[in-house]
Amino acid sequence: MTARPSRQLRTLWLTNDLPPRAGGIEQFVANLLERVHPTSTVVVGPAAGLDGAAHDERQPYRTVRHSGSILPTARVARLAVEVGRLHRPDVVVLGATWPLGELAPTLGRALGVPVVALSHGLEAGIAQAGGGWLLARATRDLAAITTISAWTEEQLAPYLRASRHVRLPPGVDVARFHPDLDGAQARHAWGVPSDAPLVGCISRLVPRKGQDQLLAVWPEIRRRHPGAVLALVGEGPAGSELAQRAAALGPDPGVVLAGRVPWEALPESHAALDVFAMPCRTRWGGLDVEGLGIVYLEAQASGVPAIAGRSGGAPEAVIDGVTGTVVDGEDPRAIIDALDRWLSDPAARAAAGRAGRREVESRWSWTVIADRFASLLDEVVTSGRPVAG
Ligand code: GDD
């Protein structure tokens, strides 16, 4: 399914995850919206204030912001049906399967069109934590569901009631994230000398991502690599705890808490790094798990080796030993060994960077992924699946 579809479809999207908020689902949704029938698409998205309005104005698709979150409530259903009746879509797309799949029966019936949903890491976490019945319910009226990795597909498969499952991993914009970019400005902004070995984690600050483990091993890395700097970029609920941990490392620990970087500055931030590290780990009995990890793709597209944690589908984003290292995110020794290895060997870093770049160009480009999604919508609409009623 790689051919561009022959006709323009009218699509209605419903999503609670939409820029300007940062995050993987937001990236996923935005990149598909930009590339798949953008001018005949209307999106019903969550409240986002003035930033949201400025963001929406720049997009080729039209966005209708709800006054709150996009969850399967009667109010959201009414808004979506109202917008749908005006827009007359050929197909409805849900930005996430759970919980939005609960709206599929209402939307399918009211608008008389098939409903397709994307899935991410959370749905696989729900399956792992014993909530398979929730997924069976949420997928019972879907014409198709997409899965982001072999691991998530394996977790979800027993519970999916949708007519079709299609693998649709997230990707990376290989023209924006590029090894030729100059990271000097990002280093300058973070106060990092141009010749200091720089390890970075650019990600939402949540416990699963493992920034706490990076801080825990950092004194040992500094002992082996004096002058090395750890940059933790991003914001999130774990922010203040990470700041306390960094402060507890004493004066001059070689740690920068850089905060959120604007979307435009992300590629240069990656280009500033020598090694990317996000040693993620699974939590809460499997519920809090990494589906894949777009950040690993962004690092590799930038020619930077990536250290990933063995959680969910994350190991699928890196070729262990070739484009980076896969570690147990709860094993400080393994994290130290991986960081030490890449920091000690500039030639190996450069080779891994080249291999990572080749890999993302061939497998993880949004262009290819968006074509696959456009073909799926085409098939679903053409097959004229009867709408549940
Ligand atoms: N602009 C900006 N600023 N973007 C940021 C920042 C920041 O400070 N921090 C993180 N991001 C961006 C990253 O660059 C990346 O594009 C995205 O937010 C994070 O995506 P993931 O690494 O995929 O993580 P996630 O936990 O938010 O996403 C979930 O869904 C993804 C898509 O299906 C997880 O399940 C992932 O495993 C999955 O890949």
Side-chain angles (χ1 to χ4, degrees):
M1 287 205 309
T2 51
R4 270 232 165 263
S6 46
R7 67 189 176 110
Q8 183 81 12
L9 295 180
R10 299 175 71 80
T11 66
L12 171 68
W13 279 71
L14 238 78
T15 180
N16 193 44
D17 305 282
L18 195 66
R21 199 168 59 200
I25 307 180
E26 288 81 350
Q27 276 309 311
F28 203 142
V29 165
N31 276 282
L32 291 181
L33 281 170
E34 216 175 275
R35 291 173 174 82
V36 181
H37 308 302
T39 56
S40 51
T41 289
V42 173
V43 186
V44 175
L50 289 179
D51 278 1
H55 167 271
D56 297 346
E57 257 175 41
R58 295 194 298 270
Q59 310 311 317
Y61 46 87
R62 200 158 67 75
T63 306
V64 177
R65 294 277 179 179
H66 181 47
S67 53
S69 300
I70 298 298
L71 295 169
T73 62
R75 277 187 68 205
V76 168
R78 269 199 304 279
L79 173 65
V81 168
E82 206 175 290
V83 172
R85 286 197 171 128
L86 291 170
H87 181 55
R88 289 176 292 104
D90 299 299
V91 60
V92 173
V93 182
L94 306 176
T97 299
W98 196 87
L100 293 183
E102 291 289 341
L103 289 173
T106 309
L107 297 179
R109 248 194 327 267
L111 301 173
V113 295
V115 182
V116 171
L118 309 179
S119 73
H120 306 277
L122 175 63
E123 289 85 351
I126 291 173
Q128 259 206 321
W133 64 275
L134 289 168
L135 300 166
R137 261 185 68 106
T139 57
R140 67 198 186 281
D141 279 314
L142 294 178
I145 174 173
T146 67
T147 57
I148 58 172
S149 59
W151 183 85
T152 61
E153 192 164 318
E154 202 179 303
Q155 307 310 309
L156 293 172
Y159 308 107
L160 298 183
R161 301 289 173 267
S163 313
R164 284 191 186 76
H165 324 161
V166 174
R167 179 77 58 77
L168 195 79
V172 58
D173 186 334
V174 293
R176 287 193 64 228
F177 291 84
H178 203 280
D180 293 345
L181 292 177
D182 185 1
Q185 215 178 330
R187 279 185 178 243
H188 179 73
W190 302 336
V192 179
S194 58
D195 58 349
L198 179 58
V199 174
C201 180
I202 302 174
S203 169
R204 295 184 297 116
L205 304 182
V206 292
R208 179 181 93 223
K209 305 289 185 178
Q211 290 98 342
D212 55 347
Q213 293 285 6
L214 292 174
L215 287 172
V217 304
W218 198 245
E220 175 60 19
I221 295 296
R222 286 270 281 185
R223 202 182 58 72
R224 299 185 191 190
H225 301 274
V229 177
L230 172 65
L232 300 183
V233 180
E235 62 184 3
S240 55
E241 196 205 314
L242 291 170
Q244 279 169 23
R245 283 177 187 254
L249 295 179
D252 190 25
V255 174
V256 178
L257 298 176
R260 186 194 158 131
V261 292
W263 172 235
E264 301 71 37
L266 265 187
E268 278 78 11
S269 304
H270 273 286
L273 308 182
D274 293 305
V275 181
F276 178 88
M278 193 181 88
C280 54
R281 59 182 185 269
T282 301
R283 302 168 70 242
W284 298 341
L287 180 64
D288 191 19
V289 65
E290 204 58 52
L292 188 92
I294 297 175
V295 288
Y296 301 125
L297 308 179
E298 293 170 345
Q300 291 169 92
S302 310
V304 176
I307 298 175
R310 203 167 286 119
S311 169
E316 296 172 46
V318 171
I319 306 179
D320 193 19
V322 178
T323 69
T325 310
V326 178
V327 296
D328 176 347
E330 302 201 76
D331 180 354
R333 280 278 126 222
I335 299 171
I336 290 170
D337 288 350
L339 287 169
D340 190 28
R341 181 204 163 192
W342 294 113
L343 287 174
S344 303
D345 191 345
R349 274 205 312 269
R354 285 191 297 274
R357 175 70 197 180
R358 273 197 306 276
E359 184 64 14
V360 289
E361 275 179 3
S362 66
R363 284 187 59 204
W364 304 101
S365 159
W366 275 124
T367 319
V368 175
I369 293 162
D371 274 2
R372 206 183 299 164
F373 186 62
S375 299
L376 172 66
L377 294 187
D378 222 21
E379 276 181 28
V380 162
V381 170
T382 308
S383 71
R385 178 183 179 272
V387 177

